[in-house]
Amino acid sequence: MLGDAYILVDWDNEKGQVRFTPQTAETIIPHYDELTGKIDFLSKKWVESKGDFGTDTQTRLNLYYTDRVEKYRAEGNKWVQYRDEGETAWPQVWNDKAGAPLGVAILHFRNKPAGGSFGVSELANCIHLQDMLNKTLVDIAIQNDNAGFGRAWALDVSLDQSNMDMLPGALFNLKSEDEGAGSLGTIPADDPDGPLKTLEMLVQHIAGTTRTPQYLFQIMGGAPSGEALKTAESGLVKKVASIQVTFGNV
């Protein structure tokens, strides 16, 4: 959704094994070397609550380097060193037993980065189409409520006042300046075919843009055959296979 995902790798002392923890993408900024394209460090900034119901908060900042983790907390307009409970050293060393750096402790998964520090949302190309689809659904609902049924009208029929109630079975009572015999008529229900075709077109565009098989959006005839499934899913399979390399290298 956001184009970037992060996983923190650390050690679980209680279980004696490596621990992987997903991180909130909005709190992290990756910093890459402009020449090598490799990551130098990541910064994570967040607000931490030490009391109940979000009280007694403090702003934290961690810098994750290849060989250490520097922890800070905000104090006024500056950052001061911070240690979690049980920590005595600052910064926290992040090396193996031989003293070699273990690498940045947060893994960065970038979707289609195109040379930048951040990835691109997989939804970016279809958000505007989804907005149009949502509006079309609202238009159809309004049309069904207001004009999805036949309506009757009356002209110069003896009633107290004109009214235009847009309800099923309501009577439009109209008055004219000319005196004459009253008359009645009907207004047929609107044809929803136009908005429904728009809806279908938008679904087709979204399927093509996201390379998602259209049969997952719309039921068309019977179940697709094996060969038809292979053809329909080729774009989606190719998209997944291409990102496997990027994510696998992480």
Side-chain angles (χ1 to χ4, degrees):
M1 183 177 67
L2 299 175
D4 298 274
Y6 302 89
I7 293 180
L8 172 65
V9 183
D10 63 354
W11 183 258
D12 189 326
N13 288 320
E14 293 183 1
K15 296 183 179 180
Q17 63 185 27
V18 176
R19 175 172 52 199
F20 300 92
T21 310
Q23 302 293 296
T24 304
E26 293 91 338
T27 64
I28 297 176
I29 296 178
H31 303 266
Y32 284 85
D33 186 289
E34 291 290 341
L35 296 178
T36 65
K38 294 182 178 180
I39 193 162
D40 284 333
F41 69 99
L42 288 105
S43 58
K44 177 182 178 181
K45 179 184 175 184
W46 77 102
V47 176
E48 182 179 70
S49 175
K50 298 187 294 183
D52 296 330
F53 306 107
T55 60
D56 191 16
T57 61
Q58 65 177 353
T59 302
R60 294 279 310 277
L61 172 67
N62 283 3
L63 303 181
Y64 296 89
Y65 292 92
T66 58
D67 60 348
R68 68 190 187 279
V69 179
E70 297 181 2
K71 299 181 180 181
Y72 302 88
R73 65 178 177 84
E75 190 174 281
N77 59 355
K78 63 180 180 179
W79 295 103
V80 297
Q81 295 180 8
Y82 180 86
R83 294 179 178 85
D84 284 311
E85 185 178 353
E87 294 179 350
T88 57
W90 192 98
Q92 291 291 298
V93 177
W94 187 247
N95 295 332
D96 60 18
K97 292 181 179 180
L102 287 168
V104 177
I106 292 183
L107 306 178
H108 182 198
F109 296 87
R110 293 184 289 176
N111 186 57
K112 303 175 183 175
S117 296
F118 293 95
V120 178
S121 170
E122 193 66 32
L123 308 179
N125 291 334
C126 70
I127 289 177
H128 64 291
L129 293 172
Q130 183 67 53
D131 288 340
M132 293 180 64
L133 178 67
N134 293 343
K135 183 186 181 300
T136 302
L137 287 170
V138 173
D139 292 343
I140 292 174
I142 292 174
Q143 183 185 38
N144 288 340
D145 286 343
N146 294 332
F149 41 83
R151 291 144 292 171
W153 57 267
L155 179 63
D156 287 338
V157 174
S158 180
L159 292 174
D160 292 337
Q161 61 183 5
S162 295
N163 61 68
M164 291 287 288
D165 293 333
M166 302 291 286
L167 299 171
L171 175 71
F172 291 179
N173 186 34
L174 312 173
K175 292 185 179 297
S176 68
E177 295 180 354
D178 300 328
E179 295 184 1
S183 58
L184 297 171
T186 60
I187 302 173
D190 286 356
D191 185 1
D193 190 53
L196 289 175
K197 286 184 177 179
T198 301
L199 192 73
E200 183 177 346
M201 177 199 68
L202 289 170
V203 170
Q204 292 175 355
H205 280 308
I206 292 174
T209 300
T210 61
R211 297 160 81 177
T212 305
Q214 190 172 337
Y215 74 85
L216 295 176
F217 288 112
Q218 295 173 312
I219 303 299
M220 299 175 293
S225 66
E227 289 301 317
L229 279 176
K230 287 183 180 179
T231 303
E233 295 178 352
S234 60
L236 178 61
V237 171
K238 185 177 180 180
K239 181 171 69 171
V240 174
S242 66
I243 206 67
Q244 281 180 323
V245 176
T246 304
F247 287 0
N249 287 340
V250 174

